[in-house]
Amino acid sequence: LDYQHVQVPFEITLWIMLASLAKIGFHLYNKLPSVVPESCLLIFVGLIMGGIIYGLNDRSPPVMDSDIFFLYLLPPIVLDAGYFMPSRPFFENIGTILLYAVVGTIWNVFGIGFSLYGICQVKAFRLQDVSLLHNLLFGSLIAAVDPVAVLAVFEEIHVNEKLHILVFGESLLNDAVTVVLYKLFRSFCEMPTIKSVDVFAGIGKFFVVGLGGVLVGLSFGFTAAFTTRFTKDIRVIEPLFVFLYSYLSYLTAEMFHLSGIVAIISCAMGMKRYVEANISLKSHTTVKYFMKMWSSVSDTLIFIFLGVSTIGENHEWNWPYICFTVIFCLIWRALGVLVLTFFVNRFHVNTITSKDQFIIAYGGLRGAICFSLVFLLPDFHRKKLFIAATTVVILFTVFIQGMTIRPLVDLLAVKRKRESAPTVGEQIHIRFLDHLLAGIEDISGHWGQYYWKDKLEYFNSKYLQKILLREYDQPKSSIVLLYEKLERKHAIELAQAGQLGHGPAHPSFLCSAFLCSSSDRTVITDQKLEDTLNPDVLDNMQEILARNLYRIRRTGPAYNRHTLPGDSEPTEQAKEILILRHKSL
Amino acid sequence: SVSHSQITRLYSRFTSLDKGENGPLSREDFQRIPELAINPLGDRIINAFFPEGEDQVNFRGFMRTLAHFRPIEDNEKSKDQNGPEPLNSRSNKLHFAFRLYDLDKDDKISRDELLQVLRMMVGVNISDEQLGSIADRTIQEADQDGDSAISFAEFVKVLEKVDVEQKMSIRFLH
């Protein structure tokens, strides 16, 4: 047996295999993901694995190496998030997102740090040797909301697009703040005295880290777009460029102590439109599939390792400290959201309702980033205390908050709807008005940042497109491409059916199955008025309408971890509408 | 009246829709908006901008149609009741929506007109019979004078519980 020779790749492959098999297992049993979020189940699997390893080896299982996490496991997830980030809602809400990410995180860090320091002063807890600086350092790593955990849980609860993008955007962008504060406090720990100059240097560093990350990302993104301009003859390796350039941007940013997450997101968002216009359709599909695959695997592995690393002798269980950490995390997050939302609502007419605020506050989950950061702490005698506290906070947020957020959301939603049910007419007319308003909004192009979008579009069309695109056509939206495809397909079908000039008034090839089945039921030709008053018929109608009326856009999240864009319901709806309108022309 | 900055913004939108012609907008200019192509009521909304029988709309007409969708300010409610009703009053907003249903302009939404709109708004899984009974039910709920059609007054009555001001207003950022 030559195990030593293949050990490392063999073990890696086995872990990935375990992760994938676990995923299959969860989805085989349909009801489970709706009750317990997948992340919880994965941590549970990790706990079992950790227990097994501990039992077999009688020592702590391999702790998730921070390098592996930050260099290999985190980038695919963030790349996936950044590439498929719906840019319109993101930029519409960018002010709010930045406010939550920057100010909110700073508020949380200092709040948690100072209150924990207050707790340490209590003599009974035997915590007096934990200094203020240590507490602030701990606060800086525990305060940040984690994108991996947020994504995993928000998928199960269907919130509206704006809310989704707020929490999600915040979890991605607060990385810049976390990086700066963490490194700042860590260097303060090592310095004998701290002068105010150092504090100001820290504030300045924040801007450098954030903006530097964006610059690095954009430059790699545009280079990627430029490269794909010339790949016409070697289509096969086109997808590789997308991944290589994004990963390089992440690594370069990390090398310069800038925020890697911000860099990779700006890279993905910057290169997306040009790369998609330049590469072939098949390469495009490949890119999408690979991104989803890698991010899925990473995500699963992270949670499993989280579970594995929990078992072991790395912890010092000082329960008062741990409990107060959890409590303070919740309190400060809630307070922060309340105060910030108050300011946001003063400046915007689209208010964030209190139900939304609850979801934002309660959905502030911590995850693997905190976990890795705590292992990166320099070894001092209280490190194990912090590790234990971090573990408990993460398990608490993922398990308890993750599992209860959905029932709580449903409970809140149900409370509002306790008014009388709308009549059939109301239902129809309300949806009619919603579509009308959506159309008028699209025509008036009214989104507040339209001014900047216009400027950007102008810059784009005059300079960027000429440099970065292979052909100078207007990059067409996917809907326009779909429409053209339908035209061609329809023309071919009509020609084949010999029916040019005599189209059916009703999309019969779509409905023929349903029409056949409906003719089996007794068709009531003379509608008696009493029949329509029948409550059963009425309920049936309302239910039919609720299911079948086309939805206005913006009622669901545009980003989904597990499905490719283009496979989801809004796109199906869009295709149906296009086909119907095409028939009626 | 609309504020100066809003007018400037809408004018820049008007010119950006008008690809290169620097004149009135035609139907093709509207159809180029991708989100409108997948709006079930897209064609009817576009038609609402064009006055009777014409194929072009100038900026004044554009603004006039959009003016229906201004939010109702509180200080306007207490204004002089004797002046002409502003375009964005609740009644005028509802009248705008009514005109989108009522294609033949006889001030009534007949069963056929309702069926046409319904067919545009629902998916392909509803049969004609089901849609017919839904339309009948809608008319029956609203109809008070027994003519099997929905007049404007009846339309207003159906929507009396709905916050039309909010549903038909574009919120501009301050």
Side-chain angles (χ1 to χ4, degrees):
Chain A
L1 262 190
D2 192 6
Y3 188 59
Q4 299 302 93
H5 185 62
V6 295
Q7 179 176 13
V8 172
F10 196 76
E11 284 181 355
I12 295 177
T13 315
L14 276 184
W15 277 112
I16 300 182
M17 180 74 85
L18 170 71
S20 318
L21 288 175
K23 262 183 129 68
I24 298 181
F26 302 146
H27 287 279
L28 275 181
Y29 188 43
N30 275 343
K31 276 200 197 151
L32 209 50
S34 57
V35 172
V36 184
E38 226 178 75
S39 41
C40 301
L41 293 170
L42 289 169
I43 294 188
F44 199 60
V45 168
L47 282 172
I48 298 177
M49 286 296 306
I52 295 176
I53 298 181
Y54 189 63
L56 287 179
N57 291 347
D58 205 25
R59 59 178 174 82
S60 307
V63 160
M64 176 160 66
D65 190 359
S66 299
D67 274 346
I68 295 183
F69 174 72
F70 278 114
L71 292 180
Y72 301 114
L73 291 179
L74 187 60
I77 297 179
V78 186
L79 176 61
D80 179 44
Y83 196 80
F84 292 114
M85 172 89 77
S87 48
R88 188 185 46 86
F90 182 71
F91 286 112
E92 276 162 23
N93 292 304
I94 188 96
T96 321
I97 293 178
L98 279 177
L99 193 68
Y100 280 129
V102 176
V103 179
T105 312
I106 295 181
W107 166 282
N108 277 335
V109 167
F110 283 104
I112 296 177
F114 279 114
S115 24
L116 280 177
Y117 181 60
I119 294 296
C120 289
Q121 302 305 94
V122 176
K123 288 201 170 61
F125 296 149
R126 292 171 284 131
L127 287 168
Q128 279 170 316
D129 51 340
V130 186
S131 70
L132 175 63
L133 213 48
H134 285 141
N135 276 309
L136 283 174
L137 181 57
F138 180 62
S140 72
L141 61 89
I142 199 82
V145 174
D146 187 85
V148 179
V150 162
L151 257 185
V153 162
F154 266 65
E155 228 163 42
E156 321 281 344
I157 60 175
H158 296 290
V159 294
N160 62 56
E161 183 188 69
K162 176 177 169 184
L163 194 54
H164 192 250
I165 204 82
L166 275 179
V167 184
F168 184 42
E170 179 206 342
S171 67
L172 284 175
L173 292 185
N174 63 19
D175 177 60
V177 182
T178 312
V179 159
V180 169
L181 284 175
Y182 180 77
K183 294 199 169 137
L184 195 69
F185 287 130
R186 211 167 101 172
S187 55
F188 279 179
C189 278
E190 283 146 28
M191 284 172 14
T193 53
I194 302 166
K195 304 183 273 284
S196 55
V197 152
D198 298 320
V199 176
F200 282 120
I203 297 177
K205 202 153 175 237
F206 158 68
F207 286 105
V208 168
V209 163
L211 292 173
V214 170
L215 273 174
V216 167
L218 282 179
S219 42
F220 274 100
F222 289 142
T223 320
F226 189 63
T227 316
T228 54
R229 189 176 163 186
F230 302 108
T231 55
K232 192 163 172 200
D233 298 318
I234 27 161
R235 294 279 190 196
V236 196
I237 62 170
E238 268 176 344
L240 201 55
F241 285 115
V242 172
F243 295 109
L244 288 178
Y245 276 105
S246 324
Y247 196 42
L248 271 181
S249 72
Y250 181 80
L251 294 174
T252 315
E254 289 289 323
M255 182 168 73
F256 286 115
H257 296 291
L258 304 173
S259 166
I261 293 185
V262 172
I264 206 173
I265 292 175
S266 357
C267 180
M269 291 179 92
M271 76 173 158
K272 184 174 174 183
R273 354 163 21 169
Y274 306 105
V275 161
E276 288 194 349
N278 282 339
I279 64 181
S280 73
L281 202 59
K282 291 193 180 142
S283 303
H284 187 212
T285 314
T286 313
V287 167
K288 287 199 287 195
Y289 260 106
F290 265 93
M291 251 189 226
K292 288 287 177 198
M293 186 184 79
W294 265 323
S295 72
S296 218
V297 166
S298 269
D299 176 70
T300 319
L301 276 178
I302 287 178
F303 283 115
I304 290 189
F305 277 144
L306 211 56
V308 168
S309 311
T310 313
I311 310 283
E313 287 150 11
N314 290 320
H315 308 285
E316 179 194 330
W317 302 99
N318 183 315
W319 287 105
Y321 192 78
I322 294 176
C323 293
F324 275 108
T325 310
V326 173
I327 296 174
F328 285 136
C329 281
L330 287 173
I331 295 179
W332 284 104
R333 171 118 184 122
L335 279 178
V337 168
L338 271 174
V339 171
L340 286 176
T341 318
F342 176 71
F343 282 112
V344 168
N345 284 344
R346 294 266 295 277
F347 291 112
H348 286 282
V349 190
N350 288 347
T351 53
I352 300 179
T353 67
S354 38
K355 177 182 164 199
D356 291 344
Q357 288 175 37
F358 172 73
I359 295 179
I360 297 177
Y362 202 63
L365 304 177
R366 274 70 169 176
I369 293 188
C370 322
F371 200 66
S372 316
L373 283 177
V374 84
F375 276 104
L376 278 178
L377 282 176
D379 273 318
F380 63 101
H381 61 285
R382 281 298 191 159
K383 184 173 170 181
K384 290 193 175 176
L385 171 65
F386 288 160
I387 295 179
T390 313
T391 313
V392 172
V393 168
I394 295 177
L395 289 179
F396 179 83
T397 58
V398 172
F399 275 92
I400 305 211
Q401 283 179 246
M403 286 207 284
T404 56
I405 194 169
R406 190 184 180 173
L408 280 172
V409 166
D410 288 340
L411 197 66
L412 285 177
V414 165
K415 268 193 188 152
R416 299 293 166 80
K417 283 183 194 163
R418 207 52 78 74
E419 307 133 6
S420 60
T423 64
V424 169
E426 270 181 353
Q427 231 180 328
I428 294 176
H429 295 314
I430 288 175
R431 188 56 61 89
F432 180 84
L433 291 180
D434 284 336
H435 281 303
L436 172 58
L437 187 64
I440 294 287
E441 279 176 343
D442 290 325
I443 291 179
S444 70
H446 117 85
W447 294 108
Q449 284 90 347
Y450 198 68
Y451 176 70
W452 291 108
K453 192 172 179 215
D454 243 353
K455 292 257 171 204
L456 206 62
E457 282 301 317
Y458 178 73
F459 178 64
N460 175 43
S461 53
K462 276 210 89 172
Y463 304 108
L464 289 180
Q465 275 183 0
K466 298 208 172 109
I467 304 175
L468 300 176
L469 285 183
R470 190 182 310 131
E471 293 135 13
Y472 292 170
D473 297 344
Q474 283 274 12
K476 296 176 189 157
S477 76
S478 59
I479 299 296
V480 174
L481 285 171
L482 170 67
Y483 193 74
E484 288 175 357
K485 194 165 130 189
L486 282 176
E487 296 229 318
R488 287 195 293 272
K489 199 168 144 194
H490 189 222
I492 293 174
E493 277 167 1
L494 282 182
Q496 284 176 344
Q499 276 182 11
L500 272 170
H502 171 60
H506 193 75
S508 57
F509 62 95
L510 287 169
C511 286
S512 55
F514 299 105
L515 280 179
C516 285
S517 64
S518 73
S519 63
D520 289 341
R521 288 185 267 116
T522 49
V523 174
I524 308 170
T525 46
D526 287 321
Q527 291 271 359
K528 298 200 180 98
L529 278 178
E530 294 90 74
D531 278 348
T532 54
L533 281 171
N534 189 345
D536 288 336
V537 176
L538 176 61
D539 281 337
N540 198 20
M541 269 190 209
Q542 289 187 320
E543 190 203 330
I544 290 177
L545 277 179
R547 254 186 300 128
N548 282 290
L549 278 173
Y550 284 134
R551 297 182 218 305
I552 47 173
R553 58 198 167 89
R554 279 179 262 135
T555 49
Y559 171 78
N560 188 310
R561 166 57 65 75
H562 297 299
T563 58
L564 288 179
D567 281 354
S568 55
E569 200 192 280
T571 326
E572 290 305 313
Q573 174 179 311
K575 285 184 193 164
E576 271 181 22
I577 297 177
L578 270 180
I579 293 175
L580 278 178
R581 287 183 69 198
H582 193 64
K583 294 248 172 256
S584 65
L585 277 179
Chain B
S1 53
V2 191
S3 82
H4 186 67
S5 63
Q6 287 172 354
I7 297 181
T8 339
R9 190 186 296 136
L10 286 175
Y11 188 71
S12 71
R13 173 66 174 171
F14 182 84
T15 40
S16 76
L17 283 177
D18 181 23
K19 306 278 182 226
E21 274 165 50
N22 276 333
L25 292 180
S26 65
R27 283 196 170 76
E28 284 77 32
D29 292 318
F30 282 99
Q31 280 160 357
R32 240 182 258 122
I33 304 174
E35 287 92 358
L36 216 51
I38 55 167
N39 190 313
L41 303 176
D43 291 323
R44 299 230 174 167
I45 300 176
I46 295 176
N47 278 333
F49 278 84
F50 293 86
E52 190 66 50
E54 289 182 28
D55 283 330
Q56 309 245 316
V57 60
N58 57 15
F59 182 61
R60 196 182 160 77
F62 185 73
M63 281 290 301
R64 203 182 146 76
T65 314
L66 287 180
H68 285 98
F69 291 89
R70 267 204 319 128
I72 297 178
E73 313 278 330
D74 279 329
N75 54 11
E76 281 180 3
K77 281 185 188 155
S78 54
K79 257 195 191 152
D80 181 27
Q81 296 291 342
N82 291 336
E85 214 179 342
L87 276 177
N88 62 341
S89 69
R90 184 191 164 92
S91 168
N92 275 325
K93 284 182 198 287
L94 285 172
H95 210 96
F96 186 84
F98 189 79
R99 283 197 295 264
L100 286 185
Y101 273 106
D102 181 24
L103 283 185
D104 57 7
K105 302 210 190 320
D106 60 356
D107 278 335
K108 280 200 227 291
I109 304 177
S110 68
R111 183 176 187 269
D112 280 329
E113 287 169 341
L114 187 59
L115 264 180
Q116 275 182 32
V117 172
L118 272 176
R119 180 41 81 190
M120 290 195 299
M121 290 210 295
V122 303
V124 296
N125 295 339
I126 295 193
S127 68
D128 282 340
E129 291 86 13
Q130 286 174 310
L131 216 57
S133 51
I134 291 176
D136 286 328
R137 169 84 197 175
T138 312
I139 293 182
Q140 184 211 333
E141 279 171 359
D143 194 15
Q144 283 162 340
D145 55 10
D147 57 357
S148 296
I150 306 180
S151 70
F152 180 60
E154 290 160 357
F155 183 68
V156 171
K157 184 119 180 34
V158 170
L159 290 174
E160 65 183 353
K161 278 193 244 154
V162 175
D163 187 1
V164 172
E165 284 90 351
Q166 197 232 11
K167 277 214 175 296
M168 285 185 73
S169 300
I170 306 180
R171 287 171 285 275
F172 291 98
L173 288 176
H174 294 312

